[in-house]
Structure formats: C-alpha cells, structure tokens
Amino acid sequence: MTQNTTLLELQGITKTFPGVKALDNVSLDVKQGEVLALVGENGAGKSTLMKVLAGLYTAEQGSIKYLGKEMQVHSPLDARLKGILLIHQELSLSPELSVAENIYLGAWPTNRFGLLQKRKLRKQTQQALEALGCDFAPDDRVGQLSIARQQMVEIARAQAFNANIVIFDEPTASLTDNEKAQLFETIEDLRSRGKGIIYISHKMDEIFEITDRITILRDGQVQGTKITADTSVDEITRAMIGRDLDTYFHRAKENFGEDVLAIDGLSADGLFSDVSFSVKSGEVLGLYGLVGAGRSEVVETIFGIRKAQSGRIIWKGREISHPTPAEAIELGIALVPESRKEQGLVLGMGGRENITLPHLHFFSTLSVMSKEKELETYEQFQQALDIKTTGPEQPVAKLSGGNQQKFVLAKWLCSSPNLIILDEPTRGIDVGSKSSIHELIANLAEQGLAVIVISSEMPEVLGVSHRVLAMANGRIVGSFSGQNQTEENLISAVSKT
Amino acid sequence: MSTPNKISFLAPIKNWLLRNHIWVFFLVVFGAFSLASPYFLTVNNLSNVLTQSAFIGILAIGMTLVMINGEIDLSVGAVLALASALAIGLQDSIGVWPAVFCGLLSGVALGALNGTIIALSGIHSFIVTLGALIGVRGLVFIYTGEDALMVSDFSYTEYPEIYLGPLSITAMIFLGLAFLFQWILTSTRHGREAYSVGDNIEAAHDAGINVKRNKIINFTICGGLAAVAGILLSMRLGTAEPNAGKIWELWTIIAVVLGGVRLTGGYGTLWMTIGGVLTLAVMRNGLRLLSTPNYVELMVMGAVLIMALLLDHFLSGISRKKTS
C-alpha cells in the first residue's frame, strides 16, 4: 500500500462561538498509514476540531475532503458509518450493555422486521475482536472490563466499521505502562493496514514514540506541521506556547524542619500494605507509581476518606486514629484530589464559593456567611495564582482545566495548611499552567509547608521532589534522593515487582 | 472558552430573567386573566389567591430545600394531614396551644426520621418518603377513626381572620418563611452546604462538610413546614379531614419545578419557588372565575406545566450556548 495517498484533508475550517474564534482557518491532512499528532495547550482548539470532524459541531467555513471527495458530516453516527471514528478521552460506552452491543451501538444489524440479529451481531464482533487480538468475548458486560479493555472495545468499533480514520483523544490518561505498550502495538497494527490515525496528547514522550508528523495548534490557528523525526520536544513546546519554557521545573530550596506527618505500617485490605514514610516541613516528597499502585488510596486514608485496617498515622508527634476529612482539615492537612470534577469542585458554584467551601466556619459568624471576607480571599488567590475568570460568581464548570485546577489549589491553600497532598496536580492541563503549578509547589515548600506530590509523570515527580518514593502493588518498593533520583532507578524499582 | 464580554447594564437583568423566567410567565398569566375576567384584578380576589396559595407555598419552601440537596419528599401531604388532625384532636384533652405544639412536633419528628433513614441507609429519598406517604396517611386514618375531627372551641378558627391590610396572617406567614429561608440559603453556612451537597456530594464530603447532617436538617425543616401548613389549614377549616392534603405533594413538586428549581439538585432559589406557587395559584383562581369545569382546569394546568418546563429547557439552552 502506498504511503502517500491522502485520506483526509481539512481546509480552512473556521468555527466561532459567541465571542471566541475557536478555530481560525485550520487546515491539516492525514495520509494513509500514518500517525498524525495534534498538539496544543488546553483551549487551543484540538477538541473543537475533532468534534467538527466527528459530526458533533458544524464548521461555518472550510471543507472536509475525504478520499478526495468533499464530505459533510451530520452526526457522530454518520461519521462512524463514513469511516471516521473518534475515541474520546472519557470513554463513551454503556456499562450495562455487552461488548457486541456497544460496538454496534446505534447501528445494530437488524432483519427486515426491525428485530436485532443477535447471531450476526455476535459473529461480526467476534471477528473484529479476533483481528485485534482482544482477550474478551462479545457477550462480556462492558462495565466489568478494565479501562484498557474498554478502550479496546472502542478500537474494535474502528475494526467493525472498517474505519479509515481513527482519532485518539488522550488515550493513555488512565492506562498503566503495560497497557500503554499494548495500545501502541494496536496503533502500529492499524497503521500497517493503511489507516490514518490522529493522536491527541499532552505527553511529548508518547508523541515522539509513535507519530510520524505533528500538527501544532495555538489559539485556534495551525502553527505548523513538522516531521516528528526532524524536530525536538523544545521546538514543539515553543510552538505550542509561543514562548520559551526556560525553567520547566522548579525545585524548592532545601530547608527542612521537623517531621510533620509520619505513617507507620499502614495497611488496608486489597489496596496497600505496610506503608511507612514521613515528611518534614519544607520538604517535597514525591510518590511515583503506576495507576493502581495504591498511591491515591494511601493519601485518601491519611485524609480520612478511607479507613486503614492497621498501622499508625502520626501527626506532629501525636497519633491520630481514623480521622474524618473534617478533622484532617482541622489539623492542617489538605488533599487536592486526582479528579477535579468528581472530587474537587462544585461545578455549579463560582470561584468564591468553591474556595471557601472547606472553611465555611472561617468565613462566618454564628453561621452567617460574610461575603466581604470571602471576596477578599477570592481576590487574593485569583491574583496570586493568576486565575482567568470573568468574576467571582462565574460557575467553575465553564473554566479551562488549568484554571479549574488553580481553584482547587486555592480552595485548599486558603486555610494555610501544614501539609498539602497533591494527587496528579497537572493531569490534563496545559504546559503553561503546569509550569506555574510547579512553581507554586516550590514556593509552598519554601514557606515551610510539607508537600506530598503524587504523579505518574516521571519528569514531573523527579523534577519537583526532594525525595521520591516508588510504589507498586500497594507497597513502597524504593526511596530515592539526590544522585539516585533518576528515571532508571524508578523504572527498575516499580518493574521488579 | 469564556472571554469577558462587553459590560452592558442590560446583562444582569437578562441573566436574572433567564434564571427566573417563571416571573415572566407569571406576568403573562396574570395579564391574561386581568383582561379575561372582571373579577380577577380586585384586591379582594388577589388577597384570597395569596391566602389560598400559602398552604402549597409553605410545603414548597421545605420541598425546595430538600430538592436543592438533590432529594425529594413525597410525604409532605400526609404529614400535613397528621399535624392538622393532632392539632384539632388533642385540643379537648390538653388545650389548644399544647395541641398545636404536638402537631408541629409530629412534623419535625417525621421529617427527622425520613432524613435519618435516607442519610444513614443511602436508600433513595423517593422510596423512603413514598413509604412515609402511605404509612403516615394510614396513621392519620387510624387516629381520626376515618372521620373528620371538629374543633369544639371556635375561637381557634378566628386566628386566620387577622389581616394586615389585604394580607392575611396565613399569607404573611408564608411570605415571612419564604424570605427567612431564602436568607438562610444565601447567607448562612447551612445554605451554602446545602447547595454544595446537591451539586457535588463527593466534593462536599471531601471538603469536610457533614453531608448526612445537612440532609437530615433539610428533611426536618421540610417536615416541620408541612406541619405548619397543616396547622394553618386546620385553623382555617375548623376541621381535620383524614384526606386533607391528598396529592398536595404532587402540586408542591409541580410548583417548585415550575419555578425552575432542578430535581437533580444544587440549583434553585425560593424566588423561583414563590413564582411557581403564585403562577399555579393564579391559574387555578383565574380558571375558576371563568367557570372552567374542573377536569378542563386539570388539563390546562398539566399542559401549562409542560409548556413552562419546555420554556425553561429552551432558555437554559440559550444561556449554555452563550457561555460554551
């Protein structure tokens, strides 16, 4: 198969929302048998572009040429039937339906009476699953499959509908390294069969590993398309943010005080066992591990969201047993959770109300709220963290990921905690916000806070921490600092178990 | 994406109307009946409408709090009947005010019981309060012996005759309670916590808010207010019927939802609820003044409810598009 046939060509796509030009004259093309990366900061227009392609939005101007012919996409199902498949970051599957039913969702094979042809459905699904080498059956309930397998279900759709264009939106966000490797093999397989793949990601290492070309978007405009082999991470990053990122990581100066928190032999059935460590004031402790290693569970136990079966939690030399979140906050522990939308923010509320939520007693007398005090605090954090909003009452649902994350941080910093635990603080946010959050972490430690940072991104956890603990299968498998704090050591520690 | 828009003095008004569209609807209905019936736009009639709306209105205040929590209370009609029966039935044995107090207490206690079961067991409030609706109604039938109870001391029925200008004491209690609870919603910790629990219960819990306590308090208030409505009704009628307040829980939910409060929780104000209650009351009154047959009245009310919700859907669609 020739490599040069152009499968898909977008020309001059423009899409405006009231007040914002989300896409401004965007053109790109995908060839047969290539993986095209689409990169850009949050809000650069990647998602909007893909939604145009998948039939969720209609562009005002521009044309989509598919296999040399002009094409209109009317709905996601229409796009799928025409051979374009978008695999969302948050998978869009029905957990109660079977694998086969999900794959053919909305396009189930029916006989002339409109009844489902179950045997045909199962057979076609079986073929698609076999072609991809999946280890689950057409009748399995999707809700029981792991995230990685659910993703394979979506990819099997591409197989079943014989899609020519497959779009992946941040596909590795919740995959372990093994699962990621498998996904890349699948992508390689799709490529070798002449499919065109669009790969959207924030993760530069992945992009340089599997893509052929990179198209960079900034503020709704294409900044250029580069051949992956001929470019560098620096060049791409510069094009994405439009400036140099000279200091990508900031590490706090070492000035440690007393132990703030120590945990000793903490265990919870099936989640983690015999976890011990301590963290001093002024110290940034990194906690590295793959998804499912038990990192989030450990810190949720410290914060009182979960209960431990055994072990001790010692706060400033005093043992605390089974705290509740309210008591943990009272003591001076803050937890910035992994999932902003589920755990971190009340999306219908504005920034002011979100920031003060954990500390209502602090902003009220006899339980009557003082709006003035709240606004004062809001202003202070909005300026200090440079949060972009239209005002204190704008519902946070309408902000970008980076700005939402800053509100989550503000919410927990506002009580001046002694220990702040950050669980994946920069997941899914743009490079510019990332670096300002790294800077903030360093500042907090220099002000004497103890900081625990959980991250799956190795450069991040190595870059910001004074000491890094590696976790695997619910156990601490290594502690690294100074000279030993390297990627090689972390990888070998977590992969030994 | 959001960018700061041009600042326009019209924007806040437009936003308010998009949120409180029920008042536009109210004015339309109000205007239509003013033109259609010469008896509608009179002080006497409007004063009556307000008094009549007060009972559903007081139930609707409690329902709003519970709905902001993301829950529902189907037992308010039955609780109203129980409080009304106790307030009248106990008067001969323990005196008027102790009887009223017992009626009130029964509502508070049942509300607290509902809330506790819901918060501690995690069973959906729809199921728990549906059970309470049936069980409490049964209790009312047992207590009243299936007959209406009558007051023996008729001075009891004179309290609702207190008026301040055109405002009856019943209407004043409704509006006073509405203002009080609106203030609680916007200006106290409890109110803030109620919204956060309804909008994102996990985030609220992780922020250290006692989610269970917040829900129990709101159900208790809802039960207590249902009892207040029951007592006011017993004063007005002088009797307590075992069937009093039957399907009122549905009218209450209709009024609250008509106002724009979301069943999913985290969104709504008592301004919306008052709007919904008054719209419903005005429509009922107007249709009766035009001597519409009862069943036609029901059909019209049902159609209007669905139309109002379509309007809400349409308007919130506009405001969503504006900001996305």
Side-chain angles (χ1 to χ4, degrees), chain B residues 17-42:
Chain B
L17 283 179
L18 279 177
R19 282 170 64 90
N20 295 278
H21 60 278
I22 185 63
W23 286 98
V24 180
F25 209 81
F26 172 78
L27 288 178
V28 171
V29 174
F30 194 89
F33 284 122
S34 303
L35 295 175
S37 166
Y39 309 107
F40 179 76
L41 194 60
T42 60

mmCIF file of all heavy atoms in Angstrom, chain B residues 17-42:
data_model
loop_
_atom_site.group_PDB
_atom_site.id
_atom_site.type_symbol
_atom_site.label_atom_id
_atom_site.label_comp_id
_atom_site.label_asym_id
_atom_site.label_seq_id
_atom_site.Cartn_x
_atom_site.Cartn_y
_atom_site.Cartn_z
ATOM 1 N N LEU B 17 -33.587 37.271 34.334
ATOM 2 C CA LEU B 17 -34.788 36.760 33.685
ATOM 3 C C LEU B 17 -34.586 35.347 33.152
ATOM 4 O O LEU B 17 -35.502 34.528 33.177
ATOM 5 C CB LEU B 17 -35.223 37.693 32.555
ATOM 6 C CG LEU B 17 -35.933 38.964 33.016
ATOM 7 C CD1 LEU B 17 -36.292 39.835 31.827
ATOM 8 C CD2 LEU B 17 -37.204 38.623 33.813
ATOM 9 N N LEU B 18 -33.377 35.062 32.675
ATOM 10 C CA LEU B 18 -33.116 33.707 32.194
ATOM 11 C C LEU B 18 -33.225 32.701 33.341
ATOM 12 O O LEU B 18 -33.685 31.590 33.165
ATOM 13 C CB LEU B 18 -31.728 33.612 31.559
ATOM 14 C CG LEU B 18 -31.619 34.116 30.116
ATOM 15 C CD1 LEU B 18 -30.185 34.033 29.629
ATOM 16 C CD2 LEU B 18 -32.522 33.336 29.196
ATOM 17 N N ARG B 19 -32.786 33.125 34.524
ATOM 18 C CA ARG B 19 -32.878 32.240 35.680
ATOM 19 C C ARG B 19 -34.295 32.199 36.248
ATOM 20 O O ARG B 19 -34.751 31.158 36.692
ATOM 21 C CB ARG B 19 -31.912 32.704 36.786
ATOM 22 C CG ARG B 19 -30.475 32.333 36.565
ATOM 23 C CD ARG B 19 -29.584 33.033 37.579
ATOM 24 N NE ARG B 19 -29.880 32.596 38.943
ATOM 25 C CZ ARG B 19 -29.283 31.572 39.511
ATOM 26 N NH1 ARG B 19 -28.386 30.881 38.860
ATOM 27 N NH2 ARG B 19 -29.587 31.234 40.746
ATOM 28 N N ASN B 20 -34.953 33.342 36.264
ATOM 29 C CA ASN B 20 -36.272 33.428 36.899
ATOM 30 C C ASN B 20 -37.363 33.646 35.860
ATOM 31 O O ASN B 20 -38.241 34.473 36.037
ATOM 32 C CB ASN B 20 -36.289 34.569 37.926
ATOM 33 C CG ASN B 20 -35.349 34.284 39.069
ATOM 34 O OD1 ASN B 20 -35.679 33.579 39.995
ATOM 35 N ND2 ASN B 20 -34.127 34.816 38.978
ATOM 36 N N HIS B 21 -37.299 32.884 34.782
ATOM 37 C CA HIS B 21 -38.256 33.027 33.699
ATOM 38 C C HIS B 21 -39.691 32.851 34.179
ATOM 39 O O HIS B 21 -40.616 33.340 33.561
ATOM 40 C CB HIS B 21 -37.969 31.989 32.622
ATOM 41 C CG HIS B 21 -38.077 30.595 33.149
ATOM 42 N ND1 HIS B 21 -37.045 29.997 33.830
ATOM 43 C CD2 HIS B 21 -39.095 29.721 33.156
ATOM 44 C CE1 HIS B 21 -37.441 28.800 34.214
ATOM 45 N NE2 HIS B 21 -38.664 28.600 33.827
ATOM 46 N N ILE B 22 -39.874 32.161 35.321
ATOM 47 C CA ILE B 22 -41.220 31.909 35.817
ATOM 48 C C ILE B 22 -41.978 33.211 36.061
ATOM 49 O O ILE B 22 -43.190 33.277 35.893
ATOM 50 C CB ILE B 22 -41.180 31.065 37.120
ATOM 51 C CG1 ILE B 22 -42.571 30.691 37.575
ATOM 52 C CG2 ILE B 22 -40.429 31.783 38.231
ATOM 53 C CD1 ILE B 22 -43.337 29.822 36.624
ATOM 54 N N TRP B 23 -41.239 34.278 36.419
ATOM 55 C CA TRP B 23 -41.929 35.546 36.698
ATOM 56 C C TRP B 23 -42.456 36.181 35.427
ATOM 57 O O TRP B 23 -43.474 36.873 35.443
ATOM 58 C CB TRP B 23 -41.010 36.500 37.477
ATOM 59 C CG TRP B 23 -40.866 36.056 38.898
ATOM 60 C CD1 TRP B 23 -39.842 35.334 39.424
ATOM 61 C CD2 TRP B 23 -41.818 36.220 39.954
ATOM 62 N NE1 TRP B 23 -40.079 35.053 40.738
ATOM 63 C CE2 TRP B 23 -41.286 35.592 41.101
ATOM 64 C CE3 TRP B 23 -43.050 36.852 40.054
ATOM 65 C CZ2 TRP B 23 -41.942 35.566 42.320
ATOM 66 C CZ3 TRP B 23 -43.712 36.832 41.274
ATOM 67 C CH2 TRP B 23 -43.161 36.188 42.387
ATOM 68 N N VAL B 24 -41.760 35.957 34.328
ATOM 69 C CA VAL B 24 -42.276 36.425 33.033
ATOM 70 C C VAL B 24 -43.584 35.684 32.747
ATOM 71 O O VAL B 24 -44.601 36.260 32.381
ATOM 72 C CB VAL B 24 -41.253 36.134 31.909
ATOM 73 C CG1 VAL B 24 -41.799 36.615 30.569
ATOM 74 C CG2 VAL B 24 -39.923 36.780 32.220
ATOM 75 N N PHE B 25 -43.512 34.383 32.951
ATOM 76 C CA PHE B 25 -44.663 33.523 32.756
ATOM 77 C C PHE B 25 -45.822 33.976 33.651
ATOM 78 O O PHE B 25 -46.964 34.078 33.217
ATOM 79 C CB PHE B 25 -44.233 32.104 33.131
ATOM 80 C CG PHE B 25 -44.969 31.049 32.387
ATOM 81 C CD1 PHE B 25 -44.593 30.706 31.094
ATOM 82 C CD2 PHE B 25 -46.013 30.381 32.977
ATOM 83 C CE1 PHE B 25 -45.267 29.732 30.410
ATOM 84 C CE2 PHE B 25 -46.696 29.402 32.301
ATOM 85 C CZ PHE B 25 -46.319 29.072 31.004
ATOM 86 N N PHE B 26 -45.483 34.272 34.903
ATOM 87 C CA PHE B 26 -46.487 34.729 35.864
ATOM 88 C C PHE B 26 -47.180 35.994 35.355
ATOM 89 O O PHE B 26 -48.405 36.100 35.384
ATOM 90 C CB PHE B 26 -45.815 34.985 37.222
ATOM 91 C CG PHE B 26 -46.716 35.627 38.232
ATOM 92 C CD1 PHE B 26 -47.667 34.882 38.907
ATOM 93 C CD2 PHE B 26 -46.620 36.984 38.508
ATOM 94 C CE1 PHE B 26 -48.509 35.467 39.839
ATOM 95 C CE2 PHE B 26 -47.455 37.586 39.434
ATOM 96 C CZ PHE B 26 -48.403 36.818 40.100
ATOM 97 N N LEU B 27 -46.386 36.963 34.890
ATOM 98 C CA LEU B 27 -46.953 38.229 34.429
ATOM 99 C C LEU B 27 -47.873 38.012 33.231
ATOM 100 O O LEU B 27 -48.931 38.629 33.136
ATOM 101 C CB LEU B 27 -45.834 39.218 34.074
ATOM 102 C CG LEU B 27 -45.081 39.799 35.273
ATOM 103 C CD1 LEU B 27 -43.972 40.725 34.806
ATOM 104 C CD2 LEU B 27 -46.046 40.542 36.203
ATOM 105 N N VAL B 28 -47.471 37.108 32.335
ATOM 106 C CA VAL B 28 -48.299 36.809 31.170
ATOM 107 C C VAL B 28 -49.650 36.250 31.624
ATOM 108 O O VAL B 28 -50.719 36.723 31.214
ATOM 109 C CB VAL B 28 -47.582 35.817 30.235
ATOM 110 C CG1 VAL B 28 -48.527 35.339 29.134
ATOM 111 C CG2 VAL B 28 -46.345 36.464 29.626
ATOM 112 N N VAL B 29 -49.585 35.241 32.513
ATOM 113 C CA VAL B 29 -50.816 34.624 33.011
ATOM 114 C C VAL B 29 -51.672 35.658 33.738
ATOM 115 O O VAL B 29 -52.885 35.763 33.534
ATOM 116 C CB VAL B 29 -50.470 33.450 33.956
ATOM 117 C CG1 VAL B 29 -51.722 32.898 34.606
ATOM 118 C CG2 VAL B 29 -49.738 32.362 33.198
ATOM 119 N N PHE B 30 -51.008 36.452 34.568
ATOM 120 C CA PHE B 30 -51.681 37.476 35.347
ATOM 121 C C PHE B 30 -52.392 38.476 34.432
ATOM 122 O O PHE B 30 -53.578 38.781 34.614
ATOM 123 C CB PHE B 30 -50.647 38.200 36.215
ATOM 124 C CG PHE B 30 -51.236 39.037 37.301
ATOM 125 C CD1 PHE B 30 -51.499 38.486 38.546
ATOM 126 C CD2 PHE B 30 -51.522 40.380 37.089
ATOM 127 C CE1 PHE B 30 -52.037 39.264 39.551
ATOM 128 C CE2 PHE B 30 -52.068 41.156 38.090
ATOM 129 C CZ PHE B 30 -52.326 40.596 39.327
ATOM 130 N N GLY B 31 -51.673 38.933 33.413
ATOM 131 C CA GLY B 31 -52.243 39.892 32.464
ATOM 132 C C GLY B 31 -53.426 39.293 31.715
ATOM 133 O O GLY B 31 -54.474 39.940 31.561
ATOM 134 N N ALA B 32 -53.264 38.042 31.299
ATOM 135 C CA ALA B 32 -54.316 37.389 30.523
ATOM 136 C C ALA B 32 -55.608 37.304 31.327
ATOM 137 O O ALA B 32 -56.681 37.655 30.833
ATOM 138 C CB ALA B 32 -53.853 36.000 30.098
ATOM 139 N N PHE B 33 -55.514 36.898 32.597
ATOM 140 C CA PHE B 33 -56.728 36.779 33.405
ATOM 141 C C PHE B 33 -57.307 38.146 33.763
ATOM 142 O O PHE B 33 -58.521 38.285 33.909
ATOM 143 C CB PHE B 33 -56.473 35.958 34.666
ATOM 144 C CG PHE B 33 -56.399 34.488 34.377
ATOM 145 C CD1 PHE B 33 -55.270 33.762 34.702
ATOM 146 C CD2 PHE B 33 -57.460 33.831 33.764
ATOM 147 C CE1 PHE B 33 -55.196 32.412 34.422
ATOM 148 C CE2 PHE B 33 -57.390 32.482 33.483
ATOM 149 C CZ PHE B 33 -56.258 31.773 33.806
ATOM 150 N N SER B 34 -56.431 39.157 33.912
ATOM 151 C CA SER B 34 -56.940 40.500 34.194
ATOM 152 C C SER B 34 -57.844 40.960 33.066
ATOM 153 O O SER B 34 -58.849 41.635 33.287
ATOM 154 C CB SER B 34 -55.786 41.495 34.346
ATOM 155 O OG SER B 34 -54.915 41.071 35.348
ATOM 156 N N LEU B 35 -57.450 40.612 31.829
ATOM 157 C CA LEU B 35 -58.264 41.002 30.680
ATOM 158 C C LEU B 35 -59.501 40.120 30.542
ATOM 159 O O LEU B 35 -60.571 40.578 30.160
ATOM 160 C CB LEU B 35 -57.424 40.915 29.398
ATOM 161 C CG LEU B 35 -56.244 41.876 29.306
ATOM 162 C CD1 LEU B 35 -55.430 41.609 28.048
ATOM 163 C CD2 LEU B 35 -56.733 43.329 29.325
ATOM 164 N N ALA B 36 -59.322 38.830 30.878
ATOM 165 C CA ALA B 36 -60.395 37.874 30.602
ATOM 166 C C ALA B 36 -61.542 37.966 31.603
ATOM 167 O O ALA B 36 -62.689 37.718 31.256
ATOM 168 C CB ALA B 36 -59.832 36.461 30.575
ATOM 169 N N SER B 37 -61.229 38.301 32.865
ATOM 170 C CA SER B 37 -62.287 38.296 33.866
ATOM 171 C C SER B 37 -62.299 39.603 34.655
ATOM 172 O O SER B 37 -61.262 40.043 35.147
ATOM 173 C CB SER B 37 -62.081 37.126 34.843
ATOM 174 O OG SER B 37 -62.897 37.312 35.966
ATOM 175 N N PRO B 38 -63.464 40.233 34.770
ATOM 176 C CA PRO B 38 -63.545 41.494 35.539
ATOM 177 C C PRO B 38 -63.376 41.271 37.045
ATOM 178 O O PRO B 38 -63.099 42.217 37.775
ATOM 179 C CB PRO B 38 -64.950 42.008 35.207
ATOM 180 C CG PRO B 38 -65.725 40.789 34.829
ATOM 181 C CD PRO B 38 -64.758 39.841 34.198
ATOM 182 N N TYR B 39 -63.524 40.038 37.476
ATOM 183 C CA TYR B 39 -63.432 39.774 38.925
ATOM 184 C C TYR B 39 -62.017 39.468 39.379
ATOM 185 O O TYR B 39 -61.743 39.356 40.549
ATOM 186 C CB TYR B 39 -64.340 38.595 39.301
ATOM 187 C CG TYR B 39 -65.744 38.746 38.797
ATOM 188 C CD1 TYR B 39 -66.205 37.990 37.736
ATOM 189 C CD2 TYR B 39 -66.605 39.685 39.385
ATOM 190 C CE1 TYR B 39 -67.487 38.144 37.248
ATOM 191 C CE2 TYR B 39 -67.898 39.845 38.908
ATOM 192 C CZ TYR B 39 -68.332 39.084 37.845
ATOM 193 O OH TYR B 39 -69.603 39.243 37.371
ATOM 194 N N PHE B 40 -61.118 39.286 38.389
ATOM 195 C CA PHE B 40 -59.779 38.816 38.740
ATOM 196 C C PHE B 40 -58.954 39.892 39.430
ATOM 197 O O PHE B 40 -58.447 39.693 40.538
ATOM 198 C CB PHE B 40 -59.052 38.312 37.486
ATOM 199 C CG PHE B 40 -57.662 37.829 37.771
ATOM 200 C CD1 PHE B 40 -57.461 36.595 38.371
ATOM 201 C CD2 PHE B 40 -56.553 38.615 37.465
ATOM 202 C CE1 PHE B 40 -56.188 36.145 38.660
ATOM 203 C CE2 PHE B 40 -55.285 38.163 37.758
ATOM 204 C CZ PHE B 40 -55.106 36.930 38.347
ATOM 205 N N LEU B 41 -58.834 41.048 38.766
ATOM 206 C CA LEU B 41 -57.926 42.072 39.272
ATOM 207 C C LEU B 41 -58.609 42.943 40.325
ATOM 208 O O LEU B 41 -58.826 44.117 40.130
ATOM 209 C CB LEU B 41 -57.418 42.937 38.102
ATOM 210 C CG LEU B 41 -56.216 43.831 38.374
ATOM 211 C CD1 LEU B 41 -55.010 43.013 38.790
ATOM 212 C CD2 LEU B 41 -55.882 44.675 37.153
ATOM 213 N N THR B 42 -58.985 42.323 41.467
ATOM 214 C CA THR B 42 -59.544 43.082 42.575
ATOM 215 C C THR B 42 -58.756 42.735 43.820
ATOM 216 O O THR B 42 -58.207 41.628 43.928
ATOM 217 C CB THR B 42 -61.020 42.705 42.823
ATOM 218 O OG1 THR B 42 -61.073 41.310 43.140
ATOM 219 C CG2 THR B 42 -61.883 42.970 41.608
#
